[in-house]
Amino acid sequence: MSGEVIPISESDVSDFSQTVTPSFTATGIPGFDELLGGGIPTGRVVLVLGEPGAGKTTLCSHFLANGYSKFQENGVYVSLEENKIHLYREMARYGIDFAEAERNKRFAFVEASPIRHAPSILTAGNMTIGKKEFSLMALMDSIKRAIATVDAKRVVIDPLSYLIFLYTSSAELRGALLDLMEGLSELNATVLMTSELKNSGSVVRSTIQMEEYVAHGTIIMQSIKVGTSLQRVIQVQKMRESEIDRQPRPYAISKNGITVYPKESVL
Amino acid sequence: MSGEVIPISESDVSDFSQTVTPSFTATGIPGFDELLGGGIPTGRVVLVLGEPGAGKTTLCSHFLANGYSKFQENGVYVSLEENKIHLYREMARYGIDFAEAERNKRFAFVEASPIRHAPSILTAGNMTIGKKEFSLMALMDSIKRAIATVDAKRVVIDPLSYLIFLYTSSAELRGALLDLMEGLSELNATVLMTSELKNSGSVVRSTIQMEEYVAHGTIIMQSIKVGTSLQRVIQVQKMRESEIDRQPRPYAISKNGITVYPKESVL
Amino acid sequence: MSGEVIPISESDVSDFSQTVTPSFTATGIPGFDELLGGGIPTGRVVLVLGEPGAGKTTLCSHFLANGYSKFQENGVYVSLEENKIHLYREMARYGIDFAEAERNKRFAFVEASPIRHAPSILTAGNMTIGKKEFSLMALMDSIKRAIATVDAKRVVIDPLSYLIFLYTSSAELRGALLDLMEGLSELNATVLMTSELKNSGSVVRSTIQMEEYVAHGTIIMQSIKVGTSLQRVIQVQKMRESEIDRQPRPYAISKNGITVYPKESVL
Amino acid sequence: MSGEVIPISESDVSDFSQTVTPSFTATGIPGFDELLGGGIPTGRVVLVLGEPGAGKTTLCSHFLANGYSKFQENGVYVSLEENKIHLYREMARYGIDFAEAERNKRFAFVEASPIRHAPSILTAGNMTIGKKEFSLMALMDSIKRAIATVDAKRVVIDPLSYLIFLYTSSAELRGALLDLMEGLSELNATVLMTSELKNSGSVVRSTIQMEEYVAHGTIIMQSIKVGTSLQRVIQVQKMRESEIDRQPRPYAISKNGITVYPKESVL
Amino acid sequence: MSGEVIPISESDVSDFSQTVTPSFTATGIPGFDELLGGGIPTGRVVLVLGEPGAGKTTLCSHFLANGYSKFQENGVYVSLEENKIHLYREMARYGIDFAEAERNKRFAFVEASPIRHAPSILTAGNMTIGKKEFSLMALMDSIKRAIATVDAKRVVIDPLSYLIFLYTSSAELRGALLDLMEGLSELNATVLMTSELKNSGSVVRSTIQMEEYVAHGTIIMQSIKVGTSLQRVIQVQKMRESEIDRQPRPYAISKNGITVYPKESVL
Amino acid sequence: MSGEVIPISESDVSDFSQTVTPSFTATGIPGFDELLGGGIPTGRVVLVLGEPGAGKTTLCSHFLANGYSKFQENGVYVSLEENKIHLYREMARYGIDFAEAERNKRFAFVEASPIRHAPSILTAGNMTIGKKEFSLMALMDSIKRAIATVDAKRVVIDPLSYLIFLYTSSAELRGALLDLMEGLSELNATVLMTSELKNSGSVVRSTIQMEEYVAHGTIIMQSIKVGTSLQRVIQVQKMRESEIDRQPRPYAISKNGITVYPKESVL
């Protein structure tokens, strides 16, 4: 049983002959790139985890809008729950005009919520495929086509939640998250994907969610009690290839968007 | 399998050519619109989450009564649990006369509790539909007809609880909540829907409920221990398109209804 | 599918033409009616939730005994667990003579514990009915007959626990609790029903039980640590149509029964 | 369906014409009867709940030994887990000689552990009975016969644990506990039964166990941290028909047995 | 059904005519026998519960090694997980030479890990036996044979974990633990068996494990935070027939083995 | 049934005649070998448990890189989730050139993620094997071949997570972890394997994971709140055959890799 069927193999020495120097994709969000040690490592897939109202969508939208307006990098927004008109209206208050960017082919919006309505079992020719597998495949396929349309270097997937809830077995979820990571890693784009905190209110986490381990980096946005008020804090918990500031730092959301205060301490 | 069956599509640039400036629907509740930055964003679906006795029904009733009496906006109250006579009696103590408003066609009451008694499986022609799907469809249908009757701009659904309990799978519940949000978003009305806190007593939440993530906004009403007594606090945790005050603020319920104290700190 | 089968309907304006002014049913328990803002709202169904030994049965018995001795309102005690002789003996120490009241037709005792022994499936003619449905129907039927016997205005159901444990699905339990509330609301009596705290020791509840949301009011009895001793506290958490004092207040149980101290603070 | 098959009935007024004055069965344990307001209410079934090593068995054994040596009341010890020789050896260190008491027919030991080995399904004639039902029936039958042998007024069942673990459904467990309470209430004996704390270390309980609600009284034995050491505390949480001291009080176990210090405060 | 099939019986007075004076089996571990009030009660089965790295195996090994070297009592080590060579190497650093003791027939090692690989169902003749039952039977059989080989008075079973995990039903696990206790009690040896703490870090336990209730005694080894460092503490929580010091006491592990400091307080 | 089929046996005295003196495999990580009492005990299998971003992969990579560059010990990296190019890029920032080491046959990389895609049931000849068993077998087989290729003395498996998630039964998981430990123990290499903390933020663990008990040693890496900031701490919780410092100690990750501060206290 060993010889030919073992799917695991040592790497072939000859096919890897040079290491790659990491580069960073700046978010352009004031104060945030400082925490990140320059930006998101280019080509990596980073999780933005936040409580309700933390501003995950706002942060991701600025990542894309700053990309095409400041860094000549086009972007794709993949929405699994929010519809287009709602997102555009929301971002308009920050002066982001996704509609215009879309017309100028610097931005593409993918409405991925239809995967909710896929039938449980699909057949393609004589192959049968389950809803979960199909959802991932269809999602990847749509993302790739949208990237091609605008030559995107930045991608946002917001939120992963429905995909995560499809899996009731931990092993299946782990496998799916790893498959997703593999697919996204091959896009030659820097990816932010959002997910939802199950528990909140503390910077020392009592329960760690599986997606935090699988992602290349994790950014956590939440409110904690500081003195006599609630304070929004953002924390770069993990970032592969980066020298990050892991302390929680305050941030604010105003008409100017998100501002992170990388020098202020909150604990 | 890719080409024609992929249900996800990039948006067509031509069909979205203008962003919409957000407007606000004032609740008319003293002090509360100040927290909200003016009111509920018009057309949005906002969750009112509260512990038992927090005043969710009272807040929602004032939202409707103030609508037709102060802002020329009629309203619909969809009750999934409380019967009509009980609600009307309760609100009478605040000087709200829903019966008169109903006669004047400024208010409609929908008694939605019968969905509890729908059979598990229904057949319509040769189509079979489950109780859960039917409940959502019947609810949306009734709401639409009631809105049409009084030309309502404000809708209250109180409480979501039974609908939520129908779903035992997280994925199904997520899908149903998203479907509900989609349906409600198309009503051209501003919607408050109530749900129940599973845990209470703290403004930093140890467990976050799924409906908090799906709603466009979340308002939390509970009692916390402040010094030597319990204090009612209301908190606008999240509100799309709004610049809100996210701090918990005290509120009181008296014969004059709900009063929020937007300048007072409680932590 | 819409037209004739939709079970939800807007209310018919003509069938509700007057609001009812709320009235209160005094408990006669020293200090307690003050917390309640006068008493239990007449015709409402109120939950008494307490830890073991908190005095739920004692409070409910005084509610009934005070009813027939002080307020000319007869009462029915529905016991799902405690037998008659035990209850009568216990209450005798407070000077309550349920046996005499029973002979004088001012009080009726319903021993409902036999519903435990109903078979899982019952058939009546060609109809089949499950144990859970039967239990609720039989309970309502017995209560109605007992009310008729003594023309009762006050009813106690002590405790709900076994009924609650019959339901393992949250949706089913919710539905059953709502059905029970509907049935009890139609009795033209003021109802106290008891249930059991799953967690205790704090006035800010970490877990909220479903029956707290469904009842028209909730009274919580427990012991909390105050300084160097345990202190019994009672709290009116919720009461429809009432202006209540929601602060936890101390109470004591002595040979004179329950005394609530509505002016004393315990936190 | 109502008339003849309803198993619930209002009580017949004529069959209950006198209330019974409660009397108390002294434990004879120094300081403990003071907490209890005189002793265990005669004929009641009281739960002794304690952590490992708290001394549940020691307390129960003294209840029986004091019964036959000081109060002329014989006793029965029903052991579901500990074997006879181990119990007798353990109690010998307190000067309790159960073997002699047994020879003098003042004490009987029932080894009930064989119910563990009953087959899952038993048939008697053409009747089939499950293991759970059989276990309860066999236990009650043995207890009755042992009581008859020594004319016992005091019974100990130590511990209930295995019986409790047999039930995986809350409704079934509740029903079984109520059936057990009914059976034990008919024995004309005062009964202590032990069970195990699932959580310990605090006198304000975060999780309340079902048996605490069903028993006529509950005594809790555990260790809590007091200043710089662990302190054993005993607490009479609940006792029907009694005016008890519900504060936790220190106790000690020495060669003289258990001593409770009813005047000392521990919080 | 009662007469002949009831498996429970009152004890026969004549078959138990003398109580046995308890004696103690010294562990020989410095300071530890003082906590225990002299040692482990001879013939009892005591649980050693500890967190990872607490030194459960080290404590048990010294119990055996001290037995044969200081008290003329041979021992048997039953290992369910660690292999022989690893154990011997580990203990060599404390100067314990199990290999030599084995050659001198003062010590026997039983490698019980093969029970993991028993098939799920075994047949012996026409009898079928499940893996769980077989595991317990095979374990007891091996222990008895090893005891006979070296005439052992001390037995260690390290750890129970795999056996415990075999049972998913609480009732089955309870029954199995009681069967194991019965079997071990009949060995005429003093037995230490180890198990694993599910939660750690506190001497007041928030969750109590079932094996703690079933064992004749429980010794808990863990680390707690004391001032600015972690401190190892050992606690004799429970010990039948013994007057123990139940306070947590510090201990250390060095090349000299385990030393307990029975006079030092840690809370 | 006893004689021939009992799979458990006492050890044969003759086959073990010498104890082995433990030796240590230095990690070469500044400050860390001091905590470990010299290094990882040679031939042992040690768990590295850490929160997201703690640096588990970095620690393991330095263990291997220091091995071949400073101690003449080659290494094998078995990756179950991270791909080769990502790992090499990440480690390049610390000056580790795995690609060159690979060409020089001092290092081998095993990409084990394909075991995720093994079918649920495999057949080899007429034998059927489940995915879980196959995964373990294939993993061991690949590791052995890679060790042979470079004559490795050090092995890293990073992370165990997917393998752990494959098992939903505690007994099966325990068995699998023990089988894995047995297989790894026979490799004649010193092994680090990583796993993920389910809870974090405290050095006194509220929930202990099963793999901590099975491993020969456990190293925990996490962030705790110290004063007004988060501090990375590393803790050697358990290490067979070693005299370790069990206190949590600070560590830092910089371009120079991991530095542990073995003299600094953090509590």
Side-chain angles (χ1 to χ4, degrees), chain F residues 198-217:
Chain F
K198 286 183 190 147
N199 300 278
S200 186
S202 171
V203 295
V204 283
R205 315 286 309 287
S206 62
T207 307
I208 302 177
Q209 299 171 213
M210 194 192 281
E211 59 269 42
E212 300 181 58
Y213 281 109
V214 172
H216 294 144

Side-chain angles (χ1 to χ4, degrees), chain C residues 6-267:
Chain C
I6 295 288
I8 304 174
S9 56
E10 305 91 82
S11 62
D12 176 358
V13 174
S14 64
D15 72 357
F16 187 89
S17 54
Q18 65 195 74
T19 54
V20 183
T21 314
S23 65
F24 296 94
T25 294
T27 64
I29 293 167
F32 190 41
D33 291 319
E34 192 170 327
L35 278 195
L36 288 164
I40 306 290
T42 300
R44 291 293 195 163
V45 182
V46 168
L47 182 71
V48 177
L49 204 56
E51 64 183 23
K56 298 180 291 294
T57 295
T58 304
L59 183 134
C60 289
S61 293
H62 281 89
F63 171 71
L64 293 183
N66 290 340
Y68 63 71
S69 66
K70 299 184 184 169
F71 304 108
Q72 317 309 328
E73 294 190 350
N74 293 342
V76 167
Y77 194 105
V78 182
S79 174
L80 278 96
E81 299 195 351
E82 182 82 318
N83 70 31
K84 186 177 173 174
I85 192 162
H86 273 151
L87 176 73
Y88 285 23
R89 264 177 56 179
E90 278 164 56
M91 293 307 129
R93 62 189 293 270
Y94 302 111
I96 295 176
D97 188 342
F98 278 149
E100 191 190 288
E102 194 178 3
R103 283 189 301 271
N104 298 339
K105 296 213 172 291
R106 304 174 77 178
F107 175 86
F109 182 90
V110 177
E111 180 133 16
S113 59
I115 61 174
R116 283 212 317 276
H117 303 295
S120 298
I121 299 292
L122 298 98
T123 48
N126 55 6
M127 207 179 82
T128 299
I129 182 171
K131 179 173 186 171
K132 291 182 270 201
E133 291 71 25
F134 174 73
S135 296
L136 265 189
M137 284 172 54
L139 183 67
M140 289 308 307
D141 190 76
S142 302
I143 295 174
K144 281 179 194 162
R145 286 195 283 140
I147 287 178
T149 310
V150 298
D151 186 27
K153 295 296 180 209
R154 299 178 180 217
V155 172
V156 162
I157 303 172
D158 181 29
L160 286 187
S161 310
Y162 183 76
L163 288 178
I164 289 177
F165 291 130
L166 282 177
Y167 298 89
T168 50
S169 131
S170 293
E172 269 195 306
L173 174 56
R174 186 68 165 212
L177 287 171
L178 291 169
D179 288 348
L180 178 67
M181 288 297 296
E182 272 180 18
L184 295 174
S185 292
E186 290 165 5
L187 294 177
N188 289 318
T190 304
V191 182
L192 294 188
M193 57 190 189
T194 72
S195 190
E196 299 169 358
L197 275 176
K198 286 183 190 147
N199 299 278
S200 186
S202 171
V203 297
V204 284
R205 314 287 309 288
S206 62
T207 305
I208 302 178
Q209 298 171 215
M210 195 192 280
E211 58 268 41
E212 301 181 58
Y213 282 108
V214 173
H216 293 144
T218 307
I219 295 160
I220 300 178
M221 305 172 79
Q222 59 177 327
S223 293
I224 62 171
K225 197 177 151 187
V226 175
T228 60
S229 62
L230 292 184
Q231 171 74 63
R232 289 176 187 272
V233 298
I234 193 166
Q235 187 184 7
V236 183
Q237 185 192 38
K238 163 182 172 182
M239 197 61 65
R240 292 272 162 97
E241 300 180 273
S242 303
E243 199 150 351
I244 53 174
D245 171 7
R246 298 176 83 246
Q247 298 300 324
R249 302 293 177 189
Y251 72 100
I253 303 182
S254 70
K255 296 236 159 139
N256 300 319
I258 292 179
T259 306
V260 175
Y261 301 95
K263 307 290 195 203
E264 293 182 21
S265 180
V266 292
L267 291 183

Side-chain angles (χ1 to χ4, degrees), chain E residues 77-154:
Chain E
Y77 196 105
V78 183
S79 174
L80 278 96
E81 300 195 348
E82 182 82 319
N83 70 31
K84 185 177 173 175
I85 193 162
H86 273 150
L87 177 72
Y88 285 23
R89 264 177 56 180
E90 279 164 57
M91 293 307 130
R93 62 189 295 269
Y94 302 111
I96 295 176
D97 188 343
F98 278 149
E100 190 190 291
E102 195 178 1
R103 283 189 300 271
N104 297 340
K105 297 214 172 288
R106 305 174 76 178
F107 175 85
F109 182 89
V110 177
E111 180 133 14
S113 58
I115 62 174
R116 284 212 316 278
H117 303 295
S120 299
I121 299 291
L122 298 99
T123 47
N126 56 6
M127 207 179 83
T128 299
I129 183 170
K131 179 173 185 171
K132 291 182 270 201
E133 291 72 23
F134 174 74
S135 296
L136 266 190
M137 284 172 54
L139 183 68
M140 288 307 306
D141 191 75
S142 301
I143 295 173
K144 280 179 196 163
R145 286 194 283 139
I147 287 178
T149 310
V150 297
D151 186 27
K153 294 297 178 205
R154 300 177 180 217

Side-chain angles (χ1 to χ4, degrees), chain B residues 95-114:
Chain B
I96 295 176
D97 188 342
F98 277 150
E100 191 189 288
E102 195 178 3
R103 283 190 301 272
N104 297 339
K105 296 214 171 290
R106 304 173 77 179
F107 175 85
F109 182 90
V110 177
E111 181 134 13
S113 58

Side-chain angles (χ1 to χ4, degrees), chain A residues 201-253:
Chain A
S202 171
V203 297
V204 283
R205 314 286 308 289
S206 62
T207 305
I208 302 177
Q209 299 171 213
M210 195 193 280
E211 58 268 43
E212 299 181 58
Y213 281 109
V214 173
H216 294 143
T218 307
I219 294 160
I220 300 176
M221 304 173 80
Q222 58 177 327
S223 293
I224 62 171
K225 199 178 150 188
V226 175
T228 61
S229 62
L230 292 185
Q231 171 74 63
R232 289 176 187 273
V233 297
I234 193 166
Q235 187 183 5
V236 183
Q237 186 191 38
K238 163 182 172 181
M239 196 61 64
R240 291 274 163 96
E241 300 180 271
S242 302
E243 199 150 351
I244 53 175
D245 170 8
R246 298 176 84 244
Q247 299 300 323
R249 301 294 176 187
Y251 72 101
I253 303 183

Side-chain angles (χ1 to χ4, degrees), chain B residues 15-261:
Chain B
D15 71 359
F16 187 90
S17 53
Q18 64 194 78
T19 55
V20 183
T21 314
S23 65
F24 296 95
T25 293
T27 64
I29 293 167
F32 190 41
D33 291 318
E34 193 171 324
L35 278 194
L36 288 164
I40 306 291
T42 300
R44 290 294 195 162
V45 183
V46 168
L47 182 71
V48 177
L49 205 55
E51 63 183 23
K56 297 180 291 293
T57 295
T58 303
L59 183 134
C60 290
S61 294
H62 280 90
F63 171 71
L64 294 183
N66 291 339
Y68 63 71
S69 66
K70 299 184 185 169
F71 303 109
Q72 317 310 328
E73 295 191 348
N74 293 342
V76 167
Y77 195 105
V78 183
S79 175
L80 278 95
E81 300 195 351
E82 182 82 318
N83 70 30
K84 186 177 173 174
I85 192 162
H86 273 151
L87 177 73
Y88 285 24
R89 265 177 56 180
E90 278 165 58
M91 293 307 130
R93 61 188 296 268
Y94 302 111
I96 295 176
D97 188 342
F98 277 150
E100 191 189 288
E102 195 178 3
R103 283 190 301 272
N104 297 339
K105 296 214 171 290
R106 304 173 77 179
F107 175 85
F109 182 90
V110 177
E111 181 134 13
S113 58
I115 62 174
R116 283 213 315 279
H117 303 294
S120 298
I121 298 293
L122 299 99
T123 47
N126 56 7
M127 207 179 83
T128 300
I129 183 171
K131 179 176 187 170
K132 291 182 270 200
E133 290 71 24
F134 174 74
S135 296
L136 265 189
M137 284 171 55
L139 183 68
M140 289 307 307
D141 190 76
S142 302
I143 295 173
K144 281 179 195 163
R145 286 194 283 140
I147 287 178
T149 310
V150 298
D151 186 27
K153 295 296 179 207
R154 299 180 180 216
V155 172
V156 163
I157 304 172
D158 180 29
L160 285 187
S161 310
Y162 183 76
L163 287 179
I164 288 177
F165 291 130
L166 282 177
Y167 299 88
T168 50
S169 130
S170 294
E172 268 195 307
L173 174 56
R174 185 68 165 212
L177 287 172
L178 290 169
D179 288 348
L180 178 68
M181 289 296 296
E182 271 180 20
L184 295 174
S185 292
E186 290 165 5
L187 295 177
N188 289 318
T190 304
V191 182
L192 294 188
M193 57 190 189
T194 71
S195 189
E196 299 168 358
L197 274 175
K198 287 182 190 149
N199 299 278
S200 187
S202 171
V203 297
V204 283
R205 314 288 308 290
S206 62
T207 305
I208 302 178
Q209 299 171 215
M210 195 193 280
E211 58 268 42
E212 301 181 59
Y213 281 109
V214 173
H216 294 142
T218 306
I219 294 160
I220 300 176
M221 305 172 79
Q222 58 177 327
S223 293
I224 62 170
K225 197 177 151 188
V226 176
T228 60
S229 62
L230 292 185
Q231 170 74 63
R232 288 177 187 273
V233 297
I234 193 166
Q235 187 184 6
V236 182
Q237 186 191 38
K238 163 182 172 182
M239 197 60 65
R240 292 273 163 98
E241 300 179 271
S242 302
E243 198 150 351
I244 53 175
D245 171 7
R246 298 177 83 244
Q247 298 300 323
R249 301 294 177 187
Y251 72 99
I253 304 183
S254 69
K255 295 238 160 137
N256 300 319
I258 292 178
T259 306
V260 175
Y261 301 95

